[in-house]
Amino acid sequence: MRIDIISTVPELLASPLSHSIMQRAQDKGLLSVEVHDLRPYGLGKHNSVDDYQFGGGAGMVMRCEPLAALIDELLAERAYDEIVYLTPDGERYAQRRANRLSLLDNLLFICGHYKGIDERIREEYVTLELSIGDYVLSGGELAAAVIVDSIGRLLPGVIGDETSALTDTFQDDLLAPPVYTRPAEWRGREVPEVLRGGDAGAIERWREAQAEARTATRRPDLLE
Ligand code: ADE
């Protein structure tokens, strides 16, 4: 999978995408992420990428021309399955969308800043608008990093244990059951007996029951 990201603060994306599983996905050639700095496409001698909003009001808006120039350059190189704009008024991002995006080949993410991007860029290019939650970030970069991370780990071969991503929280609209490692007893707290026995069927049933109980108490909305 290839992911291009347009940003005015590319530094914000460097660290989250260059460690751990995201780095491994790129080292293995399963994921390629390119961050494109919008600033050189800015207008005038100050490379301006934003301007006052028509109609007045606080906050700047990202201008059409720099974004269009960079997007057109990228589109000349490849077609995108989705051009995604990160915005708090987008579709609420969840595992179902992550699963679907992980099946695609080419994605372009546009990170907004200030009051957002000029509406006409959304109309002209954007095919999908995503929000990572009902709160406002100072830019789309952290949202893009969250989404790229959640997609990248789903790509076949990225996570060592192939079945691991399938047993994650949310994959069956269920929260994951509790997990334990050694020691079997710590500060008087014991790992449940069933997990220490070798009965695979009993372990599976225990995990299912725990997942359902946990979901019912913590996230009943998932069971609806
Ligand atoms: N940009 C600012 N806030 C955001 C959010 N909650 N989700 C996605 N992009 C954003």
Side-chain angles (χ1 to χ4, degrees):
M1 170 182 280
R2 156 106 185 189
I3 298 178
D4 291 286
I5 306 178
I6 294 176
S7 167
T8 49
V9 198
E11 299 81 5
L12 278 174
L13 285 155
S15 178
L17 300 178
S18 58
H19 297 284
S20 181
I21 291 174
M22 285 308 99
Q23 186 59 48
R24 201 190 318 155
Q26 292 169 83
D27 290 346
K28 285 184 171 176
L30 301 168
L31 174 66
S32 154
V33 184
E34 288 289 329
V35 182
H36 305 273
D37 188 358
L38 184 63
R39 189 55 70 173
Y41 297 80
L43 304 177
K45 68 171 189 284
H46 297 295
N47 290 121
S48 154
V49 294
D50 61 331
D51 205 343
Y52 297 102
Q53 50 176 314
F54 275 113
M60 308 290 273
V61 175
M62 287 172 65
R63 310 169 72 142
C64 289
E65 301 94 318
L67 279 166
L70 177 48
I71 297 169
D72 285 342
E73 215 174 273
L74 295 171
L75 281 172
E77 283 167 40
R78 59 178 52 74
Y80 291 97
D81 299 306
E82 296 282 8
I83 298 183
V84 183
Y85 174 49
L86 291 321
T87 174
D89 62 8
E91 167 195 305
R92 177 90 66 89
Y93 188 64
Q95 191 65 45
R96 202 176 309 263
R97 178 61 78 176
N99 295 345
R100 277 158 62 189
L101 290 177
S102 77
L103 301 173
L104 303 177
D105 295 320
N106 291 291
L107 299 175
L108 174 59
F109 288 95
I110 303 171
C111 304
H113 266 265
Y114 323 107
K115 277 281 164 198
I117 65 176
D118 190 298
E119 186 68 17
R120 292 166 291 183
I121 289 291
R122 296 166 78 158
E123 294 166 359
E124 180 82 6
Y125 295 105
V126 172
T127 60
L128 178 64
E129 303 191 326
L130 295 177
S131 163
I132 63 163
D134 290 343
Y135 40 82
V136 180
L137 301 165
S138 51
E141 283 80 4
L142 297 180
V146 165
I147 293 172
V148 171
D149 184 291
S150 64
I151 295 170
R153 60 191 297 287
L154 294 173
L155 301 177
V158 168
I159 293 184
D161 175 358
E162 290 291 350
T163 63
S164 171
L166 297 175
T167 57
D168 286 338
T169 280
F170 299 126
Q171 276 302 3
D172 312 308
D173 282 331
L174 284 179
L175 303 184
V179 293
Y180 301 87
T181 185
R182 290 185 289 183
E185 190 198 319
W186 178 76
R187 296 191 181 172
R189 298 171 192 271
E190 288 194 0
V191 173
E193 191 67 48
V194 60
L195 297 179
R196 291 185 281 156
D199 185 342
I203 292 172
E204 185 61 31
R205 285 191 296 281
W206 181 87
R207 286 183 171 152
E208 266 173 36
Q210 290 285 322
E212 277 162 24
R214 200 160 254 213
T215 309
T217 51
R218 297 180 185 201
R219 291 294 306 277
D221 57 297
L222 293 177
L223 297 174
E224 273 157 23

Short mmCIF file of all heavy atoms in Angstrom, two decimals, residues 29-93:
data_model
loop_
_atom_site.label_atom_id
_atom_site.label_comp_id
_atom_site.label_asym_id
_atom_site.label_seq_id
_atom_site.Cartn_x
_atom_site.Cartn_y
_atom_site.Cartn_z
N GLY A 29 8.59 -3.41 2.97
CA GLY A 29 8.07 -3.04 1.66
C GLY A 29 6.57 -3.23 1.53
O GLY A 29 6.03 -3.21 0.42
N LEU A 30 5.87 -3.40 2.66
CA LEU A 30 4.42 -3.62 2.62
C LEU A 30 3.65 -2.30 2.64
O LEU A 30 2.51 -2.23 2.23
CB LEU A 30 3.99 -4.48 3.81
CG LEU A 30 4.67 -5.86 3.86
CD1 LEU A 30 4.42 -6.54 5.20
CD2 LEU A 30 4.16 -6.72 2.71
N LEU A 31 4.33 -1.27 3.14
CA LEU A 31 3.70 0.05 3.25
C LEU A 31 4.73 1.10 2.88
O LEU A 31 5.88 1.03 3.31
CB LEU A 31 3.23 0.27 4.70
CG LEU A 31 2.67 1.66 5.04
CD1 LEU A 31 1.38 1.92 4.29
CD2 LEU A 31 2.44 1.78 6.54
N SER A 32 4.30 2.06 2.06
CA SER A 32 5.19 3.17 1.74
C SER A 32 4.43 4.46 2.05
O SER A 32 3.33 4.67 1.56
CB SER A 32 5.58 3.05 0.27
OG SER A 32 5.90 4.29 -0.24
N VAL A 33 5.01 5.28 2.93
CA VAL A 33 4.36 6.53 3.32
C VAL A 33 5.24 7.69 2.89
O VAL A 33 6.42 7.74 3.22
CB VAL A 33 4.13 6.61 4.85
CG1 VAL A 33 3.36 7.88 5.21
CG2 VAL A 33 3.38 5.39 5.36
N GLU A 34 4.67 8.62 2.12
CA GLU A 34 5.40 9.81 1.69
C GLU A 34 4.68 11.05 2.23
O GLU A 34 3.49 11.23 1.96
CB GLU A 34 5.43 9.91 0.17
CG GLU A 34 6.33 8.91 -0.53
CD GLU A 34 7.81 9.19 -0.32
OE1 GLU A 34 8.17 10.39 -0.18
OE2 GLU A 34 8.59 8.23 -0.29
N VAL A 35 5.41 11.87 2.97
CA VAL A 35 4.81 13.09 3.49
C VAL A 35 5.26 14.26 2.60
O VAL A 35 6.46 14.39 2.31
CB VAL A 35 5.24 13.33 4.96
CG1 VAL A 35 4.56 14.59 5.49
CG2 VAL A 35 4.85 12.12 5.82
N HIS A 36 4.31 15.04 2.14
CA HIS A 36 4.61 16.14 1.22
C HIS A 36 4.35 17.48 1.92
O HIS A 36 3.23 17.74 2.38
CB HIS A 36 3.73 16.05 -0.03
CG HIS A 36 3.84 14.73 -0.73
ND1 HIS A 36 4.81 14.46 -1.67
CD2 HIS A 36 3.14 13.58 -0.57
CE1 HIS A 36 4.68 13.21 -2.09
NE2 HIS A 36 3.67 12.65 -1.45
N ASP A 37 5.37 18.30 1.98
CA ASP A 37 5.27 19.62 2.61
C ASP A 37 4.53 20.57 1.68
O ASP A 37 4.94 20.77 0.53
CB ASP A 37 6.70 20.12 2.89
CG ASP A 37 6.70 21.39 3.72
OD1 ASP A 37 5.61 21.91 4.05
OD2 ASP A 37 7.81 21.86 4.04
N LEU A 38 3.45 21.16 2.18
CA LEU A 38 2.66 22.07 1.35
C LEU A 38 3.33 23.44 1.19
O LEU A 38 3.09 24.17 0.22
CB LEU A 38 1.26 22.26 1.97
CG LEU A 38 0.27 23.11 1.19
CD1 LEU A 38 -0.07 22.49 -0.17
CD2 LEU A 38 -1.01 23.33 2.00
N ARG A 39 4.17 23.78 2.18
CA ARG A 39 4.71 25.14 2.25
C ARG A 39 5.36 25.63 0.94
O ARG A 39 5.08 26.75 0.49
CB ARG A 39 5.71 25.22 3.41
CG ARG A 39 6.22 26.58 3.78
CD ARG A 39 5.15 27.60 4.07
NE ARG A 39 4.42 27.40 5.31
CZ ARG A 39 3.55 28.29 5.80
NH1 ARG A 39 3.31 29.43 5.15
NH2 ARG A 39 2.91 28.04 6.92
N PRO A 40 6.20 24.83 0.26
CA PRO A 40 6.82 25.32 -0.99
C PRO A 40 5.81 25.65 -2.08
O PRO A 40 6.16 26.33 -3.05
CB PRO A 40 7.71 24.14 -1.43
CG PRO A 40 7.92 23.32 -0.21
CD PRO A 40 6.70 23.51 0.64
N TYR A 41 4.57 25.19 -1.92
CA TYR A 41 3.53 25.49 -2.92
C TYR A 41 2.75 26.74 -2.55
O TYR A 41 1.83 27.14 -3.24
CB TYR A 41 2.57 24.29 -3.06
CG TYR A 41 3.27 23.06 -3.57
CD1 TYR A 41 4.02 22.26 -2.71
CD2 TYR A 41 3.22 22.71 -4.92
CE1 TYR A 41 4.70 21.14 -3.18
CE2 TYR A 41 3.89 21.60 -5.40
CZ TYR A 41 4.63 20.82 -4.53
OH TYR A 41 5.31 19.73 -4.99
N GLY A 42 3.13 27.36 -1.43
CA GLY A 42 2.46 28.58 -0.96
C GLY A 42 2.66 29.74 -1.92
O GLY A 42 3.55 29.72 -2.77
N LEU A 43 1.82 30.77 -1.77
CA LEU A 43 1.81 31.89 -2.70
C LEU A 43 2.63 33.08 -2.19
O LEU A 43 2.70 33.31 -0.98
CB LEU A 43 0.37 32.35 -2.95
CG LEU A 43 -0.59 31.25 -3.45
CD1 LEU A 43 -2.00 31.82 -3.59
CD2 LEU A 43 -0.12 30.67 -4.77
N GLY A 44 3.22 33.81 -3.12
CA GLY A 44 3.93 35.04 -2.78
C GLY A 44 5.27 34.77 -2.14
O GLY A 44 5.70 33.63 -2.00
N LYS A 45 5.90 35.88 -1.69
CA LYS A 45 7.27 35.70 -1.21
C LYS A 45 7.30 35.04 0.16
O LYS A 45 8.33 34.54 0.60
CB LYS A 45 8.05 37.02 -1.24
CG LYS A 45 7.62 38.10 -0.29
CD LYS A 45 8.67 39.24 -0.34
CE LYS A 45 8.46 40.28 0.73
NZ LYS A 45 7.35 41.21 0.48
N HIS A 46 6.14 35.00 0.84
CA HIS A 46 6.11 34.32 2.13
C HIS A 46 5.54 32.89 2.04
O HIS A 46 5.25 32.27 3.06
CB HIS A 46 5.29 35.13 3.14
CG HIS A 46 5.89 36.47 3.41
ND1 HIS A 46 7.12 36.61 4.02
CD2 HIS A 46 5.45 37.72 3.14
CE1 HIS A 46 7.40 37.90 4.12
NE2 HIS A 46 6.43 38.59 3.58
N ASN A 47 5.37 32.42 0.83
CA ASN A 47 4.79 31.09 0.62
C ASN A 47 3.50 30.90 1.44
O ASN A 47 3.34 29.92 2.16
CB ASN A 47 5.78 29.98 1.00
CG ASN A 47 6.93 29.89 0.01
OD1 ASN A 47 8.09 30.03 0.37
ND2 ASN A 47 6.60 29.65 -1.24
N SER A 48 2.60 31.83 1.28
CA SER A 48 1.38 31.82 2.08
C SER A 48 0.46 30.66 1.67
O SER A 48 0.12 30.49 0.51
CB SER A 48 0.67 33.16 1.90
OG SER A 48 -0.70 33.03 2.11
N VAL A 49 0.04 29.88 2.68
CA VAL A 49 -0.86 28.76 2.40
C VAL A 49 -2.26 29.01 2.96
O VAL A 49 -3.16 28.20 2.77
CB VAL A 49 -0.32 27.42 2.95
CG1 VAL A 49 0.96 26.99 2.24
CG2 VAL A 49 -0.09 27.50 4.47
N ASP A 50 -2.44 30.12 3.69
CA ASP A 50 -3.75 30.38 4.29
C ASP A 50 -4.10 31.86 4.14
O ASP A 50 -3.26 32.68 3.79
CB ASP A 50 -3.75 29.97 5.77
CG ASP A 50 -2.72 30.76 6.58
OD1 ASP A 50 -1.69 31.17 6.01
OD2 ASP A 50 -2.94 30.97 7.78
N ASP A 51 -5.38 32.18 4.40
CA ASP A 51 -5.84 33.56 4.23
C ASP A 51 -7.08 33.76 5.10
O ASP A 51 -7.66 32.79 5.60
CB ASP A 51 -6.16 33.81 2.75
CG ASP A 51 -6.03 35.29 2.38
OD1 ASP A 51 -6.01 36.15 3.28
OD2 ASP A 51 -5.97 35.56 1.16
N TYR A 52 -7.52 35.05 5.22
CA TYR A 52 -8.72 35.36 6.02
C TYR A 52 -9.94 34.74 5.37
O TYR A 52 -9.99 34.58 4.16
CB TYR A 52 -8.88 36.87 6.13
CG TYR A 52 -7.74 37.51 6.87
CD1 TYR A 52 -6.74 38.18 6.18
CD2 TYR A 52 -7.65 37.39 8.25
CE1 TYR A 52 -5.66 38.74 6.85
CE2 TYR A 52 -6.58 37.95 8.94
CZ TYR A 52 -5.59 38.62 8.23
OH TYR A 52 -4.53 39.15 8.90
N GLN A 53 -10.94 34.42 6.20
CA GLN A 53 -12.14 33.83 5.60
C GLN A 53 -13.10 34.91 5.11
O GLN A 53 -13.28 35.94 5.75
CB GLN A 53 -12.82 32.85 6.52
CG GLN A 53 -13.12 33.28 7.92
CD GLN A 53 -13.89 32.19 8.66
OE1 GLN A 53 -14.85 31.63 8.15
NE2 GLN A 53 -13.47 31.88 9.86
N PHE A 54 -13.71 34.64 3.94
CA PHE A 54 -14.76 35.51 3.43
C PHE A 54 -15.89 35.54 4.46
O PHE A 54 -16.23 34.51 5.05
CB PHE A 54 -15.30 34.98 2.10
CG PHE A 54 -14.49 35.43 0.91
CD1 PHE A 54 -13.75 34.51 0.17
CD2 PHE A 54 -14.50 36.78 0.52
CE1 PHE A 54 -13.02 34.93 -0.93
CE2 PHE A 54 -13.75 37.20 -0.59
CZ PHE A 54 -13.02 36.27 -1.31
N GLY A 55 -16.47 36.72 4.62
CA GLY A 55 -17.59 36.85 5.56
C GLY A 55 -17.15 37.19 6.96
O GLY A 55 -17.98 37.39 7.83
N GLY A 56 -15.84 37.18 7.17
CA GLY A 56 -15.32 37.55 8.48
C GLY A 56 -15.32 36.40 9.45
O GLY A 56 -15.77 35.29 9.13
N GLY A 57 -14.80 36.65 10.64
CA GLY A 57 -14.74 35.60 11.65
C GLY A 57 -13.30 35.22 11.94
O GLY A 57 -12.41 35.42 11.10
N ALA A 58 -13.11 34.71 13.15
CA ALA A 58 -11.75 34.37 13.57
C ALA A 58 -11.26 33.12 12.86
O ALA A 58 -12.04 32.23 12.53
CB ALA A 58 -11.74 34.14 15.08
N GLY A 59 -9.95 33.07 12.63
CA GLY A 59 -9.36 31.85 12.08
C GLY A 59 -9.12 31.95 10.59
O GLY A 59 -9.91 32.51 9.84
N MET A 60 -7.98 31.40 10.19
CA MET A 60 -7.58 31.43 8.80
C MET A 60 -8.07 30.16 8.09
O MET A 60 -8.36 29.16 8.73
CB MET A 60 -6.06 31.48 8.70
CG MET A 60 -5.43 32.60 9.52
SD MET A 60 -5.77 34.21 8.83
CE MET A 60 -4.41 34.33 7.66
N VAL A 61 -8.12 30.25 6.77
CA VAL A 61 -8.56 29.12 5.95
C VAL A 61 -7.46 28.77 4.97
O VAL A 61 -6.83 29.66 4.40
CB VAL A 61 -9.86 29.49 5.19
CG1 VAL A 61 -10.27 28.39 4.24
CG2 VAL A 61 -10.99 29.81 6.18
N MET A 62 -7.22 27.50 4.76
CA MET A 62 -6.18 27.10 3.81
C MET A 62 -6.66 27.31 2.38
O MET A 62 -7.75 26.93 2.01
CB MET A 62 -5.75 25.65 4.07
CG MET A 62 -4.91 25.57 5.35
SD MET A 62 -4.54 23.91 5.88
CE MET A 62 -3.51 23.36 4.52
N ARG A 63 -5.79 27.97 1.63
CA ARG A 63 -6.15 28.43 0.29
C ARG A 63 -6.19 27.28 -0.72
O ARG A 63 -5.50 26.28 -0.57
CB ARG A 63 -5.11 29.44 -0.20
CG ARG A 63 -4.84 30.53 0.78
CD ARG A 63 -3.62 31.33 0.37
NE ARG A 63 -3.90 32.16 -0.80
CZ ARG A 63 -3.40 33.39 -0.94
NH1 ARG A 63 -2.62 33.92 -0.02
NH2 ARG A 63 -3.67 34.09 -2.01
N CYS A 64 -6.97 27.53 -1.78
CA CYS A 64 -7.13 26.51 -2.83
C CYS A 64 -5.85 26.26 -3.64
O CYS A 64 -5.49 25.09 -3.89
CB CYS A 64 -8.20 26.95 -3.84
SG CYS A 64 -9.87 26.91 -3.20
N GLU A 65 -5.20 27.36 -4.07
CA GLU A 65 -4.16 27.18 -5.10
C GLU A 65 -2.99 26.30 -4.67
O GLU A 65 -2.57 25.42 -5.43
CB GLU A 65 -3.64 28.54 -5.60
CG GLU A 65 -4.70 29.45 -6.20
CD GLU A 65 -5.26 30.43 -5.19
OE1 GLU A 65 -5.51 30.01 -4.04
OE2 GLU A 65 -5.45 31.61 -5.54
N PRO A 66 -2.43 26.51 -3.45
CA PRO A 66 -1.30 25.64 -3.07
C PRO A 66 -1.71 24.17 -2.98
O PRO A 66 -1.00 23.29 -3.48
CB PRO A 66 -0.88 26.18 -1.70
CG PRO A 66 -1.43 27.57 -1.63
CD PRO A 66 -2.69 27.55 -2.44
N LEU A 67 -2.87 23.92 -2.37
CA LEU A 67 -3.34 22.54 -2.25
C LEU A 67 -3.58 21.92 -3.62
O LEU A 67 -3.14 20.79 -3.89
CB LEU A 67 -4.65 22.50 -1.43
CG LEU A 67 -4.49 22.56 0.08
CD1 LEU A 67 -5.82 22.86 0.76
CD2 LEU A 67 -3.91 21.23 0.60
N ALA A 68 -4.23 22.68 -4.51
CA ALA A 68 -4.53 22.15 -5.84
C ALA A 68 -3.24 21.86 -6.61
O ALA A 68 -3.13 20.83 -7.30
CB ALA A 68 -5.40 23.13 -6.62
N ALA A 69 -2.24 22.73 -6.47
CA ALA A 69 -0.98 22.52 -7.20
C ALA A 69 -0.32 21.22 -6.76
O ALA A 69 0.14 20.42 -7.59
CB ALA A 69 -0.04 23.71 -6.97
N LEU A 70 -0.29 20.98 -5.45
CA LEU A 70 0.35 19.76 -4.95
C LEU A 70 -0.49 18.52 -5.27
O LEU A 70 0.04 17.50 -5.72
CB LEU A 70 0.61 19.89 -3.44
CG LEU A 70 1.21 18.69 -2.72
CD1 LEU A 70 2.42 18.11 -3.46
CD2 LEU A 70 1.61 19.08 -1.29
N ILE A 71 -1.80 18.62 -5.08
CA ILE A 71 -2.66 17.46 -5.38
C ILE A 71 -2.57 17.10 -6.87
O ILE A 71 -2.44 15.93 -7.23
CB ILE A 71 -4.13 17.74 -4.98
CG1 ILE A 71 -4.25 17.95 -3.46
CG2 ILE A 71 -5.03 16.58 -5.40
CD1 ILE A 71 -5.62 18.49 -3.02
N ASP A 72 -2.58 18.11 -7.74
CA ASP A 72 -2.50 17.83 -9.18
C ASP A 72 -1.17 17.15 -9.53
O ASP A 72 -1.12 16.24 -10.37
CB ASP A 72 -2.65 19.12 -10.00
CG ASP A 72 -4.09 19.61 -10.03
OD1 ASP A 72 -5.00 18.81 -9.74
OD2 ASP A 72 -4.30 20.80 -10.34
N GLU A 73 -0.10 17.60 -8.87
CA GLU A 73 1.20 16.98 -9.11
C GLU A 73 1.16 15.50 -8.71
O GLU A 73 1.66 14.64 -9.44
CB GLU A 73 2.25 17.71 -8.26
CG GLU A 73 3.60 17.84 -8.91
CD GLU A 73 4.51 18.72 -8.03
OE1 GLU A 73 4.46 19.95 -8.20
OE2 GLU A 73 5.24 18.16 -7.19
N LEU A 74 0.55 15.22 -7.57
CA LEU A 74 0.47 13.82 -7.10
C LEU A 74 -0.44 13.00 -8.01
O LEU A 74 -0.15 11.83 -8.32
CB LEU A 74 -0.03 13.78 -5.66
CG LEU A 74 0.92 14.40 -4.63
CD1 LEU A 74 0.26 14.52 -3.26
CD2 LEU A 74 2.22 13.59 -4.54
N LEU A 75 -1.55 13.61 -8.46
CA LEU A 75 -2.49 12.89 -9.33
C LEU A 75 -1.87 12.57 -10.70
O LEU A 75 -2.30 11.63 -11.36
CB LEU A 75 -3.77 13.71 -9.52
CG LEU A 75 -4.77 13.66 -8.36
CD1 LEU A 75 -5.90 14.67 -8.60
CD2 LEU A 75 -5.35 12.25 -8.20
N ALA A 76 -0.89 13.37 -11.10
CA ALA A 76 -0.23 13.10 -12.39
C ALA A 76 0.62 11.83 -12.29
O ALA A 76 0.93 11.20 -13.29
CB ALA A 76 0.64 14.29 -12.78
N GLU A 77 0.99 11.47 -11.06
CA GLU A 77 1.82 10.27 -10.86
C GLU A 77 1.02 9.01 -10.63
O GLU A 77 1.43 7.92 -10.98
CB GLU A 77 2.77 10.48 -9.67
CG GLU A 77 3.96 11.36 -10.01
CD GLU A 77 4.70 11.81 -8.76
OE1 GLU A 77 4.85 10.97 -7.84
OE2 GLU A 77 5.08 12.99 -8.71
N ARG A 78 -0.13 9.14 -9.95
CA ARG A 78 -0.95 7.95 -9.68
C ARG A 78 -2.39 8.33 -9.42
O ARG A 78 -2.68 9.46 -9.03
CB ARG A 78 -0.40 7.14 -8.51
CG ARG A 78 -0.32 7.91 -7.20
CD ARG A 78 0.19 7.03 -6.08
NE ARG A 78 1.44 6.35 -6.39
CZ ARG A 78 2.62 6.92 -6.45
NH1 ARG A 78 2.74 8.22 -6.22
NH2 ARG A 78 3.68 6.24 -6.74
N ALA A 79 -3.28 7.35 -9.63
CA ALA A 79 -4.68 7.53 -9.26
C ALA A 79 -4.84 7.08 -7.81
O ALA A 79 -4.15 6.15 -7.38
CB ALA A 79 -5.56 6.70 -10.18
N TYR A 80 -5.70 7.74 -7.06
CA TYR A 80 -5.93 7.35 -5.67
C TYR A 80 -7.28 6.68 -5.51
O TYR A 80 -8.27 7.08 -6.12
CB TYR A 80 -5.88 8.59 -4.75
CG TYR A 80 -4.48 9.14 -4.66
CD1 TYR A 80 -4.08 10.21 -5.46
CD2 TYR A 80 -3.54 8.55 -3.82
CE1 TYR A 80 -2.78 10.69 -5.41
CE2 TYR A 80 -2.24 9.03 -3.76
CZ TYR A 80 -1.87 10.09 -4.56
OH TYR A 80 -0.58 10.56 -4.52
N ASP A 81 -7.30 5.64 -4.69
CA ASP A 81 -8.57 4.97 -4.38
C ASP A 81 -9.45 5.87 -3.53
O ASP A 81 -10.66 5.87 -3.67
CB ASP A 81 -8.30 3.65 -3.63
CG ASP A 81 -7.47 2.70 -4.48
OD1 ASP A 81 -7.89 2.43 -5.61
OD2 ASP A 81 -6.39 2.27 -4.02
N GLU A 82 -8.81 6.61 -2.63
CA GLU A 82 -9.55 7.60 -1.84
C GLU A 82 -8.64 8.81 -1.60
O GLU A 82 -7.44 8.65 -1.34
CB GLU A 82 -9.96 7.06 -0.46
CG GLU A 82 -10.92 5.89 -0.47
CD GLU A 82 -12.39 6.26 -0.73
OE1 GLU A 82 -12.68 7.43 -1.06
OE2 GLU A 82 -13.23 5.36 -0.61
N ILE A 83 -9.22 9.99 -1.68
CA ILE A 83 -8.54 11.21 -1.24
C ILE A 83 -9.26 11.64 0.05
O ILE A 83 -10.44 11.99 0.03
CB ILE A 83 -8.59 12.31 -2.31
CG1 ILE A 83 -7.85 11.82 -3.56
CG2 ILE A 83 -7.96 13.60 -1.77
CD1 ILE A 83 -7.75 12.84 -4.69
N VAL A 84 -8.54 11.51 1.15
CA VAL A 84 -9.14 11.62 2.48
C VAL A 84 -8.78 12.96 3.11
O VAL A 84 -7.61 13.32 3.19
CB VAL A 84 -8.62 10.49 3.39
CG1 VAL A 84 -9.30 10.55 4.76
CG2 VAL A 84 -8.81 9.12 2.75
N TYR A 85 -9.81 13.69 3.55
CA TYR A 85 -9.57 14.92 4.30
C TYR A 85 -9.88 14.67 5.77
O TYR A 85 -10.95 14.15 6.10
CB TYR A 85 -10.45 16.04 3.73
CG TYR A 85 -10.39 17.32 4.51
CD1 TYR A 85 -9.17 17.89 4.88
CD2 TYR A 85 -11.56 17.98 4.88
CE1 TYR A 85 -9.12 19.07 5.62
CE2 TYR A 85 -11.52 19.16 5.61
CZ TYR A 85 -10.30 19.69 5.98
OH TYR A 85 -10.26 20.86 6.70
N LEU A 86 -8.92 14.99 6.64
CA LEU A 86 -9.10 14.81 8.08
C LEU A 86 -9.79 16.04 8.65
O LEU A 86 -9.25 17.15 8.54
CB LEU A 86 -7.75 14.62 8.77
CG LEU A 86 -6.96 13.33 8.52
CD1 LEU A 86 -7.88 12.13 8.45
CD2 LEU A 86 -6.13 13.41 7.27
N THR A 87 -10.95 15.84 9.24
CA THR A 87 -11.73 16.98 9.72
C THR A 87 -12.70 16.53 10.80
O THR A 87 -13.26 15.44 10.72
CB THR A 87 -12.51 17.62 8.53
OG1 THR A 87 -13.37 18.65 9.03
CG2 THR A 87 -13.35 16.60 7.80
N PRO A 88 -12.90 17.39 11.84
CA PRO A 88 -13.82 16.97 12.90
C PRO A 88 -15.26 16.80 12.42
O PRO A 88 -16.04 16.15 13.10
CB PRO A 88 -13.72 18.11 13.94
CG PRO A 88 -12.86 19.16 13.36
CD PRO A 88 -12.22 18.65 12.12
N ASP A 89 -15.62 17.35 11.24
CA ASP A 89 -17.00 17.14 10.77
C ASP A 89 -17.10 15.97 9.78
O ASP A 89 -18.11 15.79 9.11
CB ASP A 89 -17.62 18.43 10.20
CG ASP A 89 -16.88 18.97 8.99
OD1 ASP A 89 -15.97 18.29 8.47
OD2 ASP A 89 -17.21 20.09 8.56
N GLY A 90 -16.05 15.14 9.72
CA GLY A 90 -16.09 13.96 8.86
C GLY A 90 -16.77 12.77 9.51
O GLY A 90 -17.21 12.85 10.66
N GLU A 91 -16.83 11.67 8.78
CA GLU A 91 -17.36 10.40 9.31
C GLU A 91 -16.52 9.97 10.51
O GLU A 91 -15.30 10.04 10.46
CB GLU A 91 -17.27 9.34 8.20
CG GLU A 91 -17.49 7.91 8.65
CD GLU A 91 -17.02 6.91 7.59
OE1 GLU A 91 -17.48 6.98 6.44
OE2 GLU A 91 -16.18 6.05 7.94
N ARG A 92 -17.18 9.51 11.57
CA ARG A 92 -16.44 9.08 12.75
C ARG A 92 -15.65 7.82 12.41
O ARG A 92 -16.24 6.80 12.04
CB ARG A 92 -17.42 8.81 13.89
CG ARG A 92 -16.76 8.29 15.16
CD ARG A 92 -16.37 9.42 16.09
NE ARG A 92 -17.55 10.08 16.59
CZ ARG A 92 -18.18 9.71 17.72
NH1 ARG A 92 -17.71 8.71 18.44
NH2 ARG A 92 -19.25 10.35 18.11
N TYR A 93 -14.33 7.89 12.53
CA TYR A 93 -13.46 6.77 12.15
C TYR A 93 -13.60 5.62 13.15
O TYR A 93 -13.61 5.84 14.35
CB TYR A 93 -12.02 7.26 12.12
CG TYR A 93 -11.04 6.26 11.58
CD1 TYR A 93 -11.13 5.83 10.26
CD2 TYR A 93 -10.04 5.73 12.38
CE1 TYR A 93 -10.23 4.92 9.75
CE2 TYR A 93 -9.14 4.81 11.88
CZ TYR A 93 -9.24 4.41 10.56
OH TYR A 93 -8.36 3.49 10.06
#
